[in-house]
Amino acid sequence: MKRTLLAAAAASLALSAAVLPARADSIIAIEDAYARAAGMNAMAGAAFFVISNTGDTDDRLIGAKSDVSERVELHTHIADSEGVMKMVEVEEGFPVAAGSTHVLQRGGDHVMFMGLRDGFENGETVAVTLVFEQAGEVVVEIPVDNDRKPDEMGGGMMNHGGHGGMNQGGMNKPAGN
């Protein structure tokens, strides 16, 4: 009787696996990440990085979470009718096509931290969970670099992984910075 039940359960599981579509292959890497506060006693900060999708499926960054602030949102800068740049929330997120990258940078797309609980001190790290449509949640430890200039690129990969993957690593700053 037990064997019959086990065999029926195994057959049912095999049938359901064959009918269900496979989860999309999205492999996300977060590179050259850094965070900074808007000023010495600022209540806002931001994170910048390069998202690489090395998978075969398009993906989209749809959210971010962190305990460092009251709110975390995806933002960008757009010009109003008078040419003045304004920061706005991007509720639909940022697309990352298969085999491509999307850059989050100062003056453009970024992760915004509003209502900072503590200041961002150089050398500390900020734990952020990035939420992707396909890859799911990707946890990154982003180093704080309040002195970094907008056009400086770091060296090396921060974290990588995909759905269900373990994401560990560190960032290497170029020598002399």
Side-chain angles (χ1 to χ4, degrees):
M1 178 76 170
K2 284 184 182 178
R3 282 188 184 197
T4 304
L5 287 174
L6 288 174
S12 174
L13 183 61
L15 180 60
S16 67
V19 173
L20 295 174
R23 181 156 178 115
D25 177 27
S26 175
I27 302 171
I28 297 296
I30 304 301
E31 302 169 315
D32 195 29
Y34 74 102
R36 66 186 316 271
M40 188 71 149
N41 295 314
M43 294 301 297
F48 312 97
F49 45 87
V50 178
I51 304 168
S52 296
N53 180 353
T54 60
D56 298 330
T57 303
D58 293 348
D59 209 337
R60 177 179 295 270
L61 176 63
I62 57 172
K65 302 182 274 189
S66 181
D67 292 334
V68 300
S69 62
E70 292 175 23
R71 291 178 39 200
V72 181
E73 297 177 352
L74 303 178
H75 278 205
T76 197
H77 289 83
I78 59 170
D80 68 11
S81 60
E82 297 175 12
V84 177
M85 295 302 286
K86 296 190 180 224
M87 191 169 21
V88 296
E89 182 177 8
V90 182
E91 293 182 14
E92 68 275 10
F94 306 128
V96 188
S100 73
T101 61
H102 186 89
V103 178
L104 279 69
Q105 61 189 348
R106 289 160 71 174
D109 298 342
H110 58 279
V111 173
M112 188 76 192
F113 305 105
M114 294 170 292
L116 292 178
R117 292 178 177 21
D118 292 311
F120 281 4
E121 298 287 331
N122 279 336
E124 293 180 343
T125 58
V126 177
V128 179
T129 301
L130 303 173
V131 183
F132 291 87
E133 276 182 343
Q134 302 300 320
E137 294 188 348
V138 177
V139 178
V140 293
E141 291 288 329
I142 300 176
V144 173
D145 187 348
N146 289 314
D147 301 326
R148 186 161 166 182
K149 304 293 182 237
D151 57 350
E152 290 178 341
M153 294 301 290
M157 190 178 329
M158 172 68 188
N159 291 306
H160 62 89
H163 178 68
M166 188 79 161
N167 299 297
Q168 301 175 13
M171 186 183 102
N172 299 319
K173 284 180 57 177
N177 288 330

